[in-house]
């Protein structure tokens, strides 16, 4: 909430006081006025200018109501790392909903009410960001592995010993299965840089 440049006369309609006693903001507007605009702008600049993505986690009851959800939602969208639902189902979003068109959850930020929730959230995030460049653990098990497709920079690549393989659940395949890039395609993924990115998109069929 701190903004050293914020020094308006009080009361100021632009100041949303974050203290339980609104009068506190009269003495310390720089520390106690919600500075959501500058926060979101800083996250957006980090993503646009340096390709740094921000993962947003709301932790505690105070982030589940009031001004919290709106600010966290704006932060998550600006940060370029919203919650996703690759199969287009609400089940992948927990208590949220899935926008099947763009495969993102609403709300876009992760929410944890207690320590157990936070552990699950962090484990989920770690799975998404710490995987090897050639290993893609799936969030759900495909109904038929024959209908898995892998697109590289928008072009479909056939399954094969020099492109990619599918490993079923269990062992190296994790809980729901895994798509593993092999051969020259794996080499291409490992050589990716921010200036020469390789976009990998995995599509699968899941029936209910």
């Amino acid at each position: 909430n701190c903004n050293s440049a914020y020094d308006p006369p009080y009361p100021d309609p632009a100041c949303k006081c974050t203290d339980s006693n609104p009068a506190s903001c009269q003495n310390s507007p720089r520390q106690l006025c919600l500075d959501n605009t500058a926060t979101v702008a800083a996250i957006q600049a980090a993503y646009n200018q340096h390709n740094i993505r921000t993962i947003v986690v709301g932790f505690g009851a105070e982030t589940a109501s009031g001004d919290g959800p709106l600010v966290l939602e704006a932060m998550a969208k600006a940060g370029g790392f919203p919650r996703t639902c690759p199969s287009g189902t609400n089940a992948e979003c927990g208590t949220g909903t899935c926008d099947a068109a763009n495969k993102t959850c609403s709300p876009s930020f992760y929410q944890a009410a207690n320590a157990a929730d936070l552990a699950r959230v962090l484990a989920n995030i770690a799975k998404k960001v710490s995987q090897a460049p050639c290993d893609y653990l799936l969030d759900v098990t495909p109904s038929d592995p024959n209908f898995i497709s892998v697109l590289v920079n928008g072009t479909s690549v056939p399954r094969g010993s020099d492109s990619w393989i599918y490993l079923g659940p269990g062992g190296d395949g994790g809980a729901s299965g895994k798509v593993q890039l092999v051969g020259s395609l794996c080499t291409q993924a490992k050589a990716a840089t921010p200036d020469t990115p390789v976009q990998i998109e995995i599509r699968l069929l899941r029936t209910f």
Side-chain angles (χ1 to χ4, degrees), residues 32 44 47 50 56 109-110 147 155 161 163 167 174 198 201 207:
L32 298 174
Q44 186 74 65
Y47 183 49
H50 306 289
V56 180
F109 62 92
Y110 294 85
F147 289 102
T155 301
S161 59
S163 55
L167 301 176
V198 177
E201 181 180 354
T207 58

Side-chain angles (χ1 to χ4, degrees), residues 28-208:
S28 302
R30 296 183 180 184
Q31 285 75 38
L32 298 174
C33 288
L34 180 62
D35 191 31
N36 57 305
T37 301
T39 301
V40 173
I43 291 174
Q44 186 74 65
Y47 183 49
N48 290 343
Q49 299 173 19
H50 306 289
N51 199 30
I52 296 173
R53 296 192 293 173
T54 300
I55 302 170
V56 180
V57 181
F59 182 53
E62 66 273 18
T63 66
S65 61
D67 294 320
L70 291 177
V71 178
L72 293 171
E73 180 72 6
M75 290 168 62
K77 288 183 176 179
F81 199 102
R83 289 194 305 154
T84 58
C85 42
S87 297
T89 66
N90 289 336
E92 298 169 275
C93 298
T95 57
T97 57
C98 176
D99 183 338
N102 58 26
K103 304 296 176 65
T104 58
C105 295
S106 179
S108 300
F109 62 92
Y110 294 85
Q111 179 69 42
N114 50 53
D117 281 351
L118 183 60
R120 284 192 290 269
V121 166
L122 294 179
N124 187 17
I125 293 172
K127 184 178 72 172
K128 294 179 180 295
V129 302
S130 64
Q131 65 186 19
C134 298
D135 295 337
Y136 294 85
L137 291 170
L138 303 178
D139 291 326
V140 296
T141 302
S143 298
D144 187 342
N146 291 319
F147 289 102
I148 297 175
S149 60
V150 174
L151 284 74
V152 179
N153 296 331
T155 301
S156 180
V157 176
R159 183 184 324 211
S161 59
D162 196 41
S163 55
W164 62 272
I165 60 174
Y166 169 70
L167 301 176
D172 290 342
S176 302
K178 178 173 72 173
V179 168
Q180 185 176 64
L181 309 185
V182 294
S184 61
L185 185 53
C186 179
T187 301
Q188 181 183 356
K190 288 180 177 179
T193 68
D195 293 328
T196 57
V198 177
Q199 181 181 10
I200 306 295
E201 181 180 354
I202 298 171
R203 298 177 180 177
L204 57 85
L205 176 67
R206 175 73 172 176
T207 58
F208 297 91

